[in-house]
Amino acid sequence: MRKIIVTEMITLDGVMQGPGGVGEDTSDGFKYSGWSAPYDDNEGGTFVQKELAQTADYLLGRKTFDIWEGFWPHHADIWPGINKGTKYVMSKTKKKTDWENTVFIDSLKDIKKLKNSEGSDIQVWGSSQVVHLLLENDLVDELRLKIYPVILGKGKKLFDDSAIPAAFTLTGSLVTATGVIIATYKRAGEVKLGTIGA
């Protein structure tokens, strides 16, 4: 069985839309694409380089794939593994691309089959609708979050009301000089209840 790892850059209020650059994702009138750039620093950059060096396959939504397809095939110097790793793309309409090692899937059943197969861990970057589907069906093994000290109010969010209740354990953390909290959480069973001070 393969682990599914959700790797996201989010604001304090959970917005994950368009972090990487101006104009990256302006859907639904989003005006703040590129919000993560002012917080770049050496610590955060070193962490990301380690992430990019990991052997992995990728599960992406159609919108994220469309953004990546025009950029990453030509920037293997930055992220060599993105061309080598298999990209599994959730899409009901798109079925062809020139980007090597890309497989199109279109259902939750396909994701479950993929998770139960042999191979590298599967990382999910961006892809808010795919993340919501995974959280709703308890298919996330790990959350790797980079939490930026900014609030945007509107935009695609990491969590919505469809996520099932689930407990996670913090397995690693780092706070960069610009105030970005990098935290890794591992799935840890059911939500436990209690009373403070009891």
Side-chain angles (χ1 to χ4, degrees):
M1 183 178 286
R2 306 163 81 175
K3 285 199 302 187
I4 294 182
I5 301 166
V6 171
T7 302
E8 301 292 352
M9 304 161 79
I10 62 171
T11 64
L12 289 174
D13 57 339
V15 174
M16 57 186 285
Q17 184 169 353
V22 174
E24 181 181 69
D25 181 358
T26 58
S27 59
D28 299 321
F30 188 67
K31 299 177 181 178
Y32 298 104
S33 290
W35 52 264
S36 74
Y39 302 96
D40 281 351
D41 63 16
N42 289 335
E43 255 181 323
T46 298
F47 184 90
V48 169
Q49 286 304 311
K50 288 179 182 175
E51 279 189 318
L52 300 185
Q54 295 171 352
T55 299
D57 290 333
Y58 305 92
L59 174 59
L60 305 171
R62 165 71 187 273
K63 180 74 176 178
T64 298
F65 181 77
D66 285 346
I67 293 168
W68 284 24
E69 184 182 26
F71 183 83
W72 284 118
H74 315 292
H75 294 85
D77 55 321
I78 302 172
W79 193 356
I82 194 59
N83 288 325
K84 294 176 185 174
T86 302
K87 283 131 331 252
Y88 297 95
V89 183
M90 281 286 285
S91 177
K92 299 276 187 193
T93 55
K94 188 166 186 168
K95 300 298 174 190
K96 291 178 70 176
T97 181
D98 291 331
W99 194 2
E100 63 182 317
N101 300 320
T102 299
V103 175
F104 291 94
I105 61 176
D106 64 8
S107 70
L108 178 62
K109 183 179 177 182
D110 290 336
I111 295 175
K112 288 180 177 179
K113 184 176 178 182
L114 184 59
K115 180 171 174 49
N116 288 316
S117 66
E118 296 296 321
S120 300
D121 288 343
I122 301 163
Q123 295 183 3
V124 184
W125 294 65
S127 310
S128 60
Q129 291 182 4
V130 172
V131 172
H132 295 165
L133 182 65
L134 294 171
L135 290 168
E136 183 181 356
N137 290 278
D138 198 16
L139 293 172
V140 176
D141 298 291
E142 200 171 292
L143 293 166
R144 294 181 185 169
L145 306 181
K146 297 169 195 72
I147 306 162
Y148 288 73
V150 62
I151 292 173
L152 298 180
K154 294 184 179 179
K156 297 172 185 172
K157 301 219 172 161
L158 177 61
F159 301 107
D160 68 3
D161 290 342
S162 67
I164 66 158
F168 286 82
T169 298
L170 181 69
T171 59
S173 64
L174 169 71
V175 180
T176 72
T178 57
V180 179
I181 300 169
I182 301 173
T184 301
Y185 298 92
K186 181 180 176 183
R187 184 72 169 86
E190 303 301 314
V191 174
K192 294 175 182 166
L193 305 177
T195 300
I196 294 173

